[in-house]
Amino acid sequence: MAPEAPYIESVMIDPFGRHITYLRVSVTDRCDFRCVYCMAEDMTFLPKAEVLSLEELERLCSAFVRRGVRKLRLTGGEPLVRKNVMSLFRGLGRHLETGALDELTLTTNGSQLAKYARELAAIGVKRVNVSMDTLDKQKFRQLTRWGDLDQVMRGIDAAQDAGLHIKINAVALRGVNDTEFDQLIRWSHGRGMDLVLIEVMPMGELGGEARLDQYLPLSLARTDIARHFTLTETDYRTGGPARYFTVEETGGRLGFITPLTHNFCESCNRVRLTCTGTLYMCLGQEDAADLRAPLRGSPSDALLDQAISEAIARKPKGHDFIIDRRHKAPAVPRHMSVTGG
Ligand code: SAM
Ligand code: SF4
């Protein structure tokens, strides 16, 4: 038998010269909420057999770290509902100790944070993104279908007690939370948390929910916010696509993620991995590479490295998200919970 090809230890640079240093991993497609812009109420989830084990996910993430990824974000679905997920965090935390990784972080709906905040902090997680679109309990229940705002608030308290820095993500939804931005700014900044507003993206069928009705261009939200607050542009970046402003009245930071009204692809440094080992080179495109077969095909990482290199060589220039009356179908048929936000 011919010997296997040697490891390719090279860093990942795509055809447009972008250095890939950020990996987002959806560790499960399951969730304890059913947010109206993210999931249909009667979602069908992947059979467990198709999902990578936590050991496989750790091996896959570690291969990316070896190839130059400096920032890892675990997401989902809801990452903290995956059974035993702390063992994955612990395993990946080792790369923080060796200095191979700068940051290990997560995006969560906060429902399980009260349980895990201390352990996450002990592992070396420093920052957490918590998604919260409204401070109104009833509205929160309607938006998430199954969520309990008090439980999320307890999670945020626990995370802050544990010393974690929190960034609040809120999806801007027309007619739902568009009158609440001022309140969200005062609340998050009052607690020392950044707030980031996100434009709703056309991903996945929602079962009756009309995407066009939800869409609120953030340019409008910003104009509205600027009536009550003074926004000063900053060059603060977190490695993600948000553009940040300082709100002079609160001293806090407000970010905007505007995939639809402002294209941020030219500085994209990230790729996304699903819990089945599928690598998406762009959140807004269909092209993907299967890393599960090469992962399982050999105990060494040679096949995997080759598949990663081939995938990065296909990273597209940008996405083609459009929401308007002529485009009724989602631009991307998979839900956000598959690739992770
Ligand atoms: N369950 C976790 C949470 O909610 O934070 C992590 C996964 S969730 C898919 C990640 C982020 O994607 C959340 O901030 C959520 O609000 C956002 N999101 C989900 N569907 C979206 C959509 N269609 N457009 C824009 N953001 C979306
Ligand atoms: Fe679950 Fe997050 Fe999607 Fe809401 S946005 S349904 S919490 S994965």
Side-chain angles (χ1 to χ4, degrees), residues 16 21 45-46 67 74 114 121 126 212 264-265 322:
F16 304 96
T21 54
F45 294 108
L46 290 163
R67 298 287 302 266
L74 303 194
K126 299 235 171 330
L212 183 61
F264 48 48
C265 303
I322 306 173

Side-chain angles (χ1 to χ4, degrees), residues 36-38 171-174 198-206 209-220 257-263 284 319-332 336:
V36 294
Y37 48 80
C38 178
V171 176
L173 298 161
R174 195 161 64 151
I198 306 173
E199 249 167 23
V200 76
M201 291 174 236
M203 300 186 67
E205 288 296 349
L206 298 179
E209 295 291 336
R211 192 73 74 180
L212 183 61
D213 291 346
Q214 298 175 344
Y215 177 52
L216 171 72
L218 282 186
S219 47
L220 292 184
I257 299 185
T258 56
L260 298 161
T261 53
H262 171 258
N263 208 311
H319 66 67
D320 319 305
F321 286 139
I322 306 173
I323 298 182
D324 67 20
R325 298 199 180 275
R326 285 170 296 125
H327 297 78
K328 289 255 159 53
V332 176
M336 185 72 104

Side-chain angles (χ1 to χ4, degrees), residues 64-79:
F64 276 93
V65 171
R66 182 166 46 71
R67 298 287 302 266
V69 158
R70 306 287 315 174
K71 176 169 172 175
L72 255 178
R73 176 178 297 280
L74 303 194
T75 173
E78 174 47 42

Side-chain angles (χ1 to χ4, degrees), residues 232-302:
T232 309
E233 192 153 7
T234 71
D235 52 12
Y236 175 77
R237 306 291 276 181
T238 58
R243 286 194 305 158
Y244 281 92
F245 294 77
T246 302
V247 178
E248 298 301 339
E249 288 77 2
T250 61
R253 264 191 297 252
L254 175 65
F256 294 91
I257 299 185
T258 56
L260 298 161
T261 53
H262 171 258
N263 208 311
F264 48 48
C265 303
E266 60 287 354
S267 60
C268 180
N269 59 350
R270 70 210 85 108
V271 289
R272 295 161 195 268
L273 188 68
T274 73
C275 59
T276 57
T278 304
L279 187 73
Y280 283 93
M281 285 70 85
C282 171
L283 179 64
Q285 299 281 359
E286 279 287 48
D287 188 30
D290 172 35
L291 300 184
R292 186 174 57 185
L295 180 83
R296 290 183 174 168
S298 162
S300 100
D301 282 351

Side-chain angles (χ1 to χ4, degrees), residues 31 33-35 37-39 76-78 109 337:
C31 187
F33 291 3
R34 291 288 181 278
C35 302
Y37 48 80
C38 178
M39 292 192 183
E78 174 47 42
N109 65 22
S337 48

Side-chain angles (χ1 to χ4, degrees), residues 134-142 144 147-150:
T134 176
L135 292 166
D136 178 305
K137 281 185 199 183
Q138 264 185 320
K139 230 189 257 182
F140 186 82
R141 171 53 64 95
Q142 280 163 5
T144 59
D148 174 4
L149 185 65
D150 289 335

